Amino acid sequence: MAKLSRDWTDILMKRGVIGPDQLNEAKRMNSIPLEDALAKLGYADPDDIMKAKAEQFGMEFVQLNEIEIPASIVEKVPESLARENVLMPMSEEGGIIKVIMHNPNDFETVDKLRFVLNKEIEVALASKQAILEAINHYYGGSTKETESVDSMLQEFTDTALDYSEDGGGGGGGMGKTNVLDENDAPIIRLVHLIIQEAVTARASDIHIEPFPDRVRIRYRIDGVLMERDSPPRRLLASIVSRIKIMGSIDIAEKRRPQDGRVKIIVAGKDIDLRVSILPTSHGQSVVMRILDRDNIKVGLRDLGFGDEDWKRFSVYIKRPNGILLVTGPTGSGKTTTLYAALNELNRPDVKIITAEDPVEYYLPGVNQCEVRAKIGMTFARIIRAMLRQNPNILLVGEIRDEETANTAIQASLTGHLVFSTLHTNDAPSAITRLVDIGVQPFLVASSVMAIMAQRLVRKICPKCKQRFEPPAHILIGLGLKPEIAKKANFMKGKGCAYCNKGGYRGRMGIYELMAMSQQIREMTFKGEPTQNIRKMARKQGMHTLFEDGMIKALKGQTTLDEILRITNRDILSEPAR
């Protein structure tokens, strides 16, 4: 296999995957390999990188999730050898075994395989993550061979045994990181496997809900709930007790809502779970929010901003003082956006303090305070104490009342940069909301520098997306001009193993960024209604959530159905401009 003259980075640039500036930025991260840097920055998908390497070295690229490897082939390579060297046997023909690897230059491993198997070896390429997933799929996970949520639920259903006495086994909670042991009781293993499956499926929440005849388990993946197989009703008490023990929650209390936090290791990663327990008419309902620390390492550029909005937002977060508000419903990504902004600003010469309820992710180098209303640690009291700590930047988790709002505004007027969130449907409504909770209009006009509303939309699966032509009546209903629709790159996912047949994988933000211009400040001071402020903001160049979503749909990043669903837009309403 003769090496081709072009390097894989040249191939990526020729294909338009990366540009020279992106390559140079990745090269400056010399502490990690170049391909890892490109993937971490979000400039190139690991599969794109591996395809380019396959072309450079004249090797075959394999999409592992689209093929089925026979058990007879898998058995030829011992699991220990496959895991140690991150490789996967694929096929055998004419005495030659084809093996999938991620490093085309790993000649030492090829020689080792040739010696162990006494066969000639042919190498094909796939990304490291894809190979690891295939190893876990074909050889079994790292807990117990062939054990899964399905197999355990089937065991419980078939045997009709009651494991309620085992439900409380094993310690847990914040004092101890929960690790699965093969000798643990069945309920302990079941709960751990449910969490493990949810993390592997990229779920943000696990819902365990009791009903008269069953227990429903659902995972929220990319904002949409997906139902799993239901455990027998008799397991409810044991499952809830196990989760309570993991979260250091009182297992004797069954009448009041309870909260807790769990640390657990899943697939070698430290995962935090925020547990909420609510008594219902059929038993205790449990929701576990999965807090993966890798989720907040995303840069501002990767959140989904358009070029114009990204430039404006980057300017606002670097102002010396003022308030920047991010608005939207629960689960719209407000916290992730603000954490990404703090990561951008977190330097040794800047002091950042946050007041959160609760602290979801722990940021290195940032002083984070948790609201505890029972002992008087409210948002307003924490902010007043913060100001005596001489900070540069304050993050107030949420403005809920007049006292918090006025204290945050006073902080901004005394020379601090303040970030906060508010629950409103769009950016202009935030001004009216602040006035409604008791803030004087002149204070709002003088302190707020920008307001950004946001939502999360699902991205089309990159593996199975294909061209899609929406029906003409939908384009007409959306108000798209024929010349714009003709140039559009509408896409849709047909469904594959990578996206679990859904056509979507991952989410991105759509944004509505309103700057407080002189005209809008005057309108705020005069107390003009929201619709007038919205008209002025649009006249000055603000894209609405719907318009920003349509731009992303026209580029083939998401679908029209997703934009209409998230923005609650009727296609017969006012046309997009």
Side-chain angles (χ1 to χ4, degrees), residues 41-108:
L41 290 167
Y43 294 149
D45 186 88
D47 282 352
D48 290 330
I49 294 171
M50 207 50 63
K51 285 176 186 175
K53 285 192 172 186
E55 181 177 329
Q56 175 189 351
F57 289 91
M59 295 179 175
E60 178 187 357
F61 172 80
V62 178
Q63 199 75 55
L64 268 167
N65 56 11
E66 295 178 359
I67 65 170
E68 190 66 33
I69 302 174
S72 58
I73 300 297
V74 176
E75 290 169 359
K76 291 185 179 295
V77 176
E79 179 182 351
S80 58
L81 189 62
R83 288 191 183 277
E84 181 185 348
N85 299 283
V86 192
L87 57 89
M88 192 71 209
M90 178 181 168
S91 61
E92 182 178 11
E93 188 175 345
I96 300 175
I97 293 183
K98 183 177 288 187
V99 176
I100 304 168
M101 301 171 62
H102 67 95
N103 182 359
N105 289 319
D106 193 354
F107 304 114
E108 185 179 338

Side-chain angles (χ1 to χ4, degrees), residues 3-266:
K3 183 174 176 179
L4 302 184
S5 56
R6 283 190 301 156
D7 188 72
W8 60 271
T9 53
D10 296 328
I11 295 169
L12 284 178
M13 285 195 285
K14 184 184 177 184
R15 292 176 180 173
V17 177
I18 60 172
D21 292 341
Q22 294 172 326
L23 179 61
N24 290 333
E25 183 181 349
K27 284 180 176 178
R28 286 195 289 270
M29 298 174 63
N30 50 22
S31 58
I32 59 175
L34 181 58
E35 54 263 40
D36 292 345
L38 286 168
K40 186 174 182 180
L41 290 167
Y43 294 149
D45 186 88
D47 282 352
D48 290 330
I49 294 171
M50 207 50 63
K51 285 176 186 175
K53 285 192 172 186
E55 181 177 329
Q56 175 189 351
F57 289 91
M59 295 179 175
E60 178 187 357
F61 172 80
V62 178
Q63 199 75 55
L64 268 167
N65 56 11
E66 295 178 359
I67 65 170
E68 190 66 33
I69 302 174
S72 58
I73 300 297
V74 176
E75 290 169 359
K76 291 185 179 295
V77 176
E79 179 182 351
S80 58
L81 189 62
R83 288 191 183 277
E84 181 185 348
N85 299 283
V86 192
L87 57 89
M88 192 71 209
M90 178 181 168
S91 61
E92 182 178 11
E93 188 175 345
I96 300 175
I97 293 183
K98 183 177 288 187
V99 176
I100 304 168
M101 301 171 62
H102 67 95
N103 182 359
N105 289 319
D106 193 354
F107 304 114
E108 185 179 338
T109 298
V110 174
D111 289 339
K112 186 195 301 183
L113 277 172
R114 191 179 289 120
F115 175 77
V116 171
L117 303 178
N118 196 24
K119 301 272 187 181
E120 278 301 311
I121 304 299
E122 183 180 336
V123 177
L125 297 182
S127 68
K128 184 176 182 179
Q129 184 59 37
I131 297 172
L132 289 172
E133 288 175 4
I135 290 171
N136 288 332
H137 174 69
Y138 289 103
Y139 289 103
S142 58
T143 55
K144 215 182 158 190
E145 192 168 1
T146 71
E147 185 171 57
S148 66
V149 175
D150 295 311
S151 63
M152 286 214 70
L153 289 179
Q154 188 63 45
E155 179 185 337
F156 283 123
T157 304
D158 291 345
T159 59
L161 294 176
D162 186 357
Y163 288 100
S164 56
E165 293 182 5
D166 295 326
M174 291 300 288
K176 177 190 173 197
T177 301
N178 296 278
V179 184
L180 185 63
D181 187 279
E182 64 177 10
N183 297 317
D184 283 335
I187 284 292
I188 296 176
R189 296 208 309 273
L190 175 62
V191 171
H192 188 102
L193 288 169
I194 288 171
I195 296 169
Q196 179 176 286
E197 183 180 66
V199 171
T200 304
R202 303 175 298 104
S204 60
D205 301 89
I206 303 169
H207 295 248
I208 301 174
E209 303 158 313
F211 291 97
D213 56 345
R214 67 187 179 115
V215 177
R216 182 169 69 178
I217 295 179
R218 296 191 289 177
Y219 304 150
R220 190 178 292 279
I221 302 171
D222 293 335
V224 178
L225 283 168
M226 307 288 211
E227 188 166 348
R228 286 290 285 117
D229 291 340
S230 300
R233 164 76 194 189
R234 67 181 185 277
L235 299 180
L236 175 64
S238 301
I239 291 172
V240 174
S241 293
R242 174 57 191 161
I243 293 170
K244 283 187 173 185
I245 287 170
M246 293 171 72
S248 299
I249 301 170
D250 182 5
I251 62 172
E253 178 59 70
K254 298 180 180 179
R255 299 169 299 167
R256 297 176 181 173
Q258 295 171 283
D259 296 300
R261 196 153 182 153
V262 176
K263 285 184 183 292
I264 191 168
I265 295 177
V266 176

Side-chain angles (χ1 to χ4, degrees), residues 445-461:
S446 58
S447 62
V448 177
M449 59 178 175
I451 303 167
M452 185 174 75
Q454 72 174 73
R455 299 289 189 280
L456 292 177
V457 296
R458 291 180 291 173
K459 294 191 290 186
I460 301 171
C461 174

Side-chain angles (χ1 to χ4, degrees), residues 409-459:
I409 284 172
Q410 291 303 323
S412 72
L413 294 175
T414 53
H416 302 87
L417 179 61
V418 180
F419 297 149
S420 190
T421 69
L422 202 61
H423 286 290
T424 62
N425 289 328
D426 58 14
S429 300
I431 293 174
T432 310
R433 171 71 178 148
L434 287 173
V435 175
D436 285 345
I437 62 177
V439 182
Q440 294 295 327
F442 73 89
L443 288 175
V444 177
S446 58
S447 62
V448 177
M449 59 178 175
I451 303 167
M452 185 174 75
Q454 72 174 73
R455 299 289 189 280
L456 292 177
V457 296
R458 291 180 291 173
K459 294 191 290 186

